[in-house]
Amino acid sequence: MYATVLTSNNSMIEVSEFLLNCFVRSPNLQRWLSLPLSLLFFLAMGANAILLTTIWLESSLHEPMYYLLSLLSLLDIVLCLTVIPKVLLIFWFDLRSIRFSACFLQMYVMNCFLAMESCTFLVMAYDRYVAICHPLRYPSIFTDKFVAKAAIFIVVRNALLTILVPILSARLHYCHSNVIENCICANLSVSKLSSDDIKVNRLLQFAGGWTLLGSDLILIFLSYSFILRAVLKLKAKGAAAKAMSTCGSHFILILFFSTILLVFVLTHVAKKMVSTDVPILLNVLHHVIPAALNPIVYGVWTQEIKQGILKLLRKSL
């Protein structure tokens, strides 16, 4: 895959890569960010690896809810590995070049796996809804077979519905510049370099984002409104607190996931009022902070996981 770039003497040359240009207005920000970003990356990798190992080795955690949590950890690991190592290479060694094929692959993985993560949160919210609102039916509904079907649905839905984004961007003609004003190959950051009309790309990004992520978030918060209503009706002593503790960690992470997305959208809408570096920073952090927080929140909040981690540590010592 190649792009044609217009040089200063109006001659056309073919190039096979883009250049990622991070934090144009605040170049010193890269040095300050490199250390916390690398620490967050290693924390995300280590914490998710421990969580996955614990669920895999601890037989008491071989239940649908923990299988979904394993899927979430796997998605976090892939998203981190897709984005953060390249960003750190730019920060540390100024390795800004990225091949066209790698750029559009990164674009696809980011769009696809972010939507998969949102869909996983939706299934987890449904899990808590059934467990609290219909506890007697929970064992018959949330079986291993159901989780397998849910995982297939999560993968297939998002893999198919996000593939048009990188395909349309890859088909554009890049005739003016190959310098992306971003740390990552975000769809709009790449497509705006093209001399072609990108209205379809913008519309697809907007429609796809709100259709997939928007519908998931609406259903998630609808599930938790039903859960809250059911919890408030519980009269047994301590039943409400116990019920909320089983889904508190889910809700905290879902709230954080949706909040950082909302802030990212708002900064893009109000881009004339904020520095262009702010959306870039939020975009990078969104691929590492949730990945670092998810296993920590579950490990601290969920007693079964905490006990499983402690048991694993005792065996290894």
Side-chain angles (χ1 to χ4, degrees):
M1 187 181 296
Y2 294 90
T4 306
V5 177
L6 190 66
T7 62
S8 56
N9 60 359
N10 293 330
S11 61
M12 307 293 281
I13 60 170
E14 283 190 341
V15 295
S16 59
E17 61 185 25
F18 285 117
L19 294 177
L20 294 165
N21 202 16
C22 295
F23 303 119
V24 181
R25 296 186 181 181
S26 309
N28 291 331
L29 190 60
Q30 294 185 183
R31 286 200 302 269
W32 292 103
L33 273 178
S34 61
L35 180 59
L37 189 63
S38 59
L39 290 175
L40 281 170
F41 173 69
F42 289 119
L43 176 62
M45 293 295 101
N48 281 288
I50 290 172
L51 184 62
L52 285 169
T53 304
T54 301
I55 294 173
W56 177 266
L57 296 177
E58 186 57 47
S59 57
S60 63
L61 298 178
H62 293 174
E63 296 179 6
M65 182 177 71
Y66 302 112
Y67 293 146
L68 292 171
L69 185 53
S70 298
L71 177 59
L72 185 65
S73 284
L74 285 172
L75 295 175
D76 282 336
I77 288 173
V78 173
L79 275 171
C80 257
L81 289 173
T82 302
V83 173
I84 305 304
K86 180 59 182 177
V87 175
L88 290 175
L89 287 174
I90 296 171
F91 286 1
W92 289 338
F93 308 110
D94 198 34
L95 297 177
R96 298 185 298 132
S97 64
I98 181 169
R99 295 191 64 83
F100 281 2
S101 55
C103 185
F104 294 116
L105 178 61
Q106 185 191 70
M107 185 188 300
Y108 176 64
V109 172
M110 288 189 300
N111 281 277
C112 179
F113 278 68
L114 186 64
M116 284 186 189
E117 192 163 297
S118 173
C119 197
T120 303
F121 277 128
L122 173 59
V123 178
M124 293 171 76
Y126 179 61
D127 170 272
R128 292 301 86 199
Y129 165 75
V130 176
I132 292 172
C133 299
H134 305 283
L136 297 179
R137 295 177 58 193
Y138 180 82
S140 62
I141 294 176
F142 264 85
T143 61
D144 291 350
K145 188 176 181 179
F146 176 87
V147 173
K149 289 180 179 178
I152 292 171
F153 169 76
I154 289 169
V155 172
V156 173
R157 185 198 79 160
N158 299 294
L160 294 178
L161 294 183
T162 58
I163 197 168
L164 275 179
V165 171
I167 287 177
L168 287 179
S169 290
R171 289 172 62 87
L172 295 173
H173 297 91
Y174 299 92
C175 302
H176 299 292
S177 172
N178 67 333
V179 180
I180 301 170
E181 302 296 340
N182 206 332
C183 295
I184 59 178
C185 291
N187 175 39
L188 298 182
S189 296
V190 176
S191 59
K192 73 179 183 181
L193 299 178
S194 173
S195 57
D196 297 339
D197 187 353
I198 62 169
K199 288 180 181 177
V200 175
N201 295 69
R202 291 181 181 275
L203 181 63
L204 185 65
Q205 184 74 42
F206 179 82
W210 284 108
T211 300
L212 295 176
L213 302 184
S215 61
D216 286 348
L217 289 175
I218 289 171
L219 292 172
I220 286 168
F221 283 100
L222 189 63
S223 298
Y224 276 98
S225 66
F226 288 135
I227 290 171
L228 183 61
R229 188 178 67 176
V231 166
L232 292 176
K233 291 181 179 179
L234 294 174
K235 297 180 180 179
K237 186 178 180 180
K242 185 178 179 181
M244 288 305 295
S245 69
T246 62
C247 60
S249 54
H250 294 213
F251 187 72
I252 288 172
L253 296 175
I254 290 166
L255 191 63
F256 181 80
F257 177 83
S258 58
T259 300
I260 197 169
L261 273 178
L262 181 61
V263 171
F264 176 64
V265 170
L266 290 176
T267 53
H268 264 291
V269 172
K271 56 187 174 182
K272 291 183 180 179
M273 301 171 61
V274 298
S275 169
T276 54
D277 291 335
V278 174
I280 294 173
L281 177 61
L282 287 173
N283 214 336
V284 172
L285 292 179
H286 182 60
H287 289 87
V288 66
I289 292 180
L293 283 181
N294 288 351
I296 293 173
V297 171
Y298 277 107
V300 171
W301 199 289
T302 309
Q303 192 65 28
E304 292 82 1
I305 293 178
K306 189 191 299 184
Q307 291 174 352
I309 293 173
L310 291 174
K311 189 183 294 185
L312 185 66
L313 290 173
R314 289 193 201 102
K315 288 181 181 178
S316 61
L317 293 176

